Every structure is written in structure tokens, then in C-alpha cells.
Amino acid sequence: DIVMTQSPDSLAVSLGERATINCKSSQSVLYSSNNKNYLAWYQQKPGQPPKLLIYWASTRESGVPDRFSGSGSGTDFTLTISSLQAEDVAVYYCQQYYSTLVTFGPGTKVDIK
Amino acid sequence: EVQLVESGGGLVQPGGSLRLSCAASGFTFSSYWMHWVRQAPGKGLVWVSRINSDGSSTSYADSVKGRFTISRDNAKNTLYLQMNSLRAEDTAVYYCASPGDWDYFDYWGQGTLVTVSS
């Protein structure tokens, strides 16, 4: 199984400041034949299902604000919220879909400082 | 508008069975693979199972293999999860989810809570 880890477990950021979440996979999720990273990011607010933010490591889902961006390759990835808004308070998960056994990271909780 | 609506959750005793349903609308259900993902209370997301578009191919997480069965009825635009031999650790909100062009999930239902307890 590909194990996903995230850091930090939680962070508190002032409104308008940058939030950075890291995700690491236990093996590369970069498929060399198409040069694509099989990595997605989700946002989950209390009592709601997850919402897809980013797929293919850096492609923003339609309708997602451009303050959300994804980067990285191979085993190390980052989700950046460039200017934190109050509505961004949530838990964020990364997910690999390189393996048929898809796995999620444990989540990172983002709060307002 | 894509909608996925789960139902069938509830309280069941250990060793019992339950069948979850997911009614899909707003897209051509019969063309898409479908998945179940679960989330124990206060915990993270765990993939459970997938089924291909015509129901001929399925796969499962090791934790549910041999106990859970995924199926679909494309005429009814409905996905199912038959859960047998339920354990306390199966307690979770179960989401159905539809994938994008690969196994990332662009649409999710609201989830249905399954509680396994005596």
C-alpha cells in the first residue's frame, strides 16, 4: 500500500496570510509514461462531504478559487492557500490514485489565528 | 446537476447486515465507475470499494474483502453496498463518490451513517 503522510497535523493562520500543507507518499506517484502525478487534494468542512480542490497534483477543479494551488512531484507535494479566508477553515486531505488501492493522508486542520 | 444520495444506514448489531444505496442523477451513470469511501467518526477518509461501469469488475479494501459486496443497477441509476458480518470498526459515514478521468473523486454524496453496536 502507498502510505500518505501530511504535515503539520494542524495549523492556525491569520486572515489574509499564506497557509501551506505538505503531503508525502511512501513511494512515487509520478507515472513516467505520461509525466503525471496521481495526487489530489480535498477540503472537508464539518458535517459535509469532501470537496475536490486539486487533481493531477496541480490542476484546480472548476469553481475552486485561485488562492488554492497545488505543487510538487514524485513523493512530495504541497497545497498552498495564498491568502486565507474565513471560509477556508476546514480539514484538508491529500489522496493518491496511482495505486488501485487509493489511499488518503490523515488530514490537516486549518484554523484562523 | 450531479446528485448522489445515499440511504440505508442505521444501527446494526455486530455480525449483522445492512445494504446501502446511492441514487445517482444528473449524469450518465452507466458510463462511470463508482466508489464507496468511508469515514469513522472524527477520523480520516478510507477507500472501501469500486465497481466498473457495467458491474463486471469490482475491487475492495482488504478490511472489507469477503464481507462487503458492491453492485449496481444501471437501469435504476443506483449503486449498492451489501455489508455482512459487520464489526464495530465498520462504524462510519459511508459516501458514494464518482471519479473524474481517474480515481480522484469530483462528486460525493452527503453520506449515510452506519453504526455497529450492541
Side-chain angles (χ1 to χ4, degrees):
Chain A
D1 302 1
I2 298 178
V3 176
M4 307 299 291
T5 56
Q6 291 182 229
S7 63
D9 295 335
S10 64
L11 75 161
V13 175
S14 300
L15 288 172
E17 295 301 305
R18 178 184 301 260
T20 301
I21 301 168
N22 300 301
C23 173
K24 190 174 183 70
S25 56
S26 61
Q27 65 186 76
S28 177
V29 298
L30 172 63
Y31 192 39
S32 56
S33 66
N34 60 10
N35 202 36
K36 284 188 170 183
N37 287 282
Y38 287 56
L39 190 285
W41 288 97
Y42 300 87
Q43 175 194 67
Q44 188 178 31
K45 298 179 180 180
Q48 295 185 18
K51 174 187 174 182
L52 177 67
L53 297 175
I54 303 283
Y55 56 97
W56 299 125
S58 61
T59 301
R60 197 179 302 113
E61 171 73 336
S62 175
V64 172
D66 61 7
R67 63 180 180 273
F68 291 92
S69 64
S71 63
S73 185
T75 61
D76 293 281
F77 300 90
T78 299
L79 175 70
T80 301
I81 310 172
S82 61
S83 175
L84 191 76
Q85 304 299 304
E87 61 265 32
D88 300 335
V89 169
V91 178
Y92 293 83
Y93 295 93
C94 60
Q95 176 226 336
Q96 67 78 22
Y97 46 99
Y98 181 92
S99 165
T100 55
L101 176 57
V102 305
T103 49
F104 294 86
T108 294
K109 186 175 182 181
V110 174
D111 273 320
I112 304 296
K113 186 186 293 184
Chain B
E1 179 195 4
V2 171
Q3 280 201 316
L4 299 170
V5 180
E6 302 93 337
S7 60
L11 175 63
V12 61
Q13 291 189 338
S17 298
L18 215 52
R19 188 176 84 154
L20 306 184
S21 300
C22 170
S25 60
F27 66 107
T28 308
F29 178 74
S30 59
S31 297
Y32 287 85
W33 290 66
M34 292 294 295
H35 297 248
W36 288 99
V37 177
R38 70 184 181 184
Q39 185 171 36
K43 302 296 185 182
L45 301 164
V46 177
W47 175 81
V48 173
S49 182
R50 71 163 60 80
I51 187 168
N52 71 342
S53 58
D54 67 7
S56 61
S57 176
T58 60
S59 57
Y60 301 90
D62 286 347
S63 58
V64 306
K65 202 173 293 182
R67 300 188 299 123
F68 289 13
T69 302
I70 190 172
S71 62
R72 65 193 297 160
D73 185 335
N74 285 343
K76 295 182 178 179
N77 287 349
T78 303
L79 175 72
Y80 303 101
L81 187 67
Q82 177 68 43
M83 304 185 296
N84 299 330
S85 303
L86 282 161
R87 307 166 180 166
E89 54 264 36
D90 296 319
T91 294
V93 173
Y94 285 74
Y95 297 101
C96 63
S98 66
D101 57 344
W102 213 261
D103 279 350
Y104 57 87
F105 308 117
D106 53 0
Y107 292 102
W108 298 69
Q110 285 298 312
T112 187
L113 176 62
V114 172
T115 303
V116 184
S117 175
S118 54

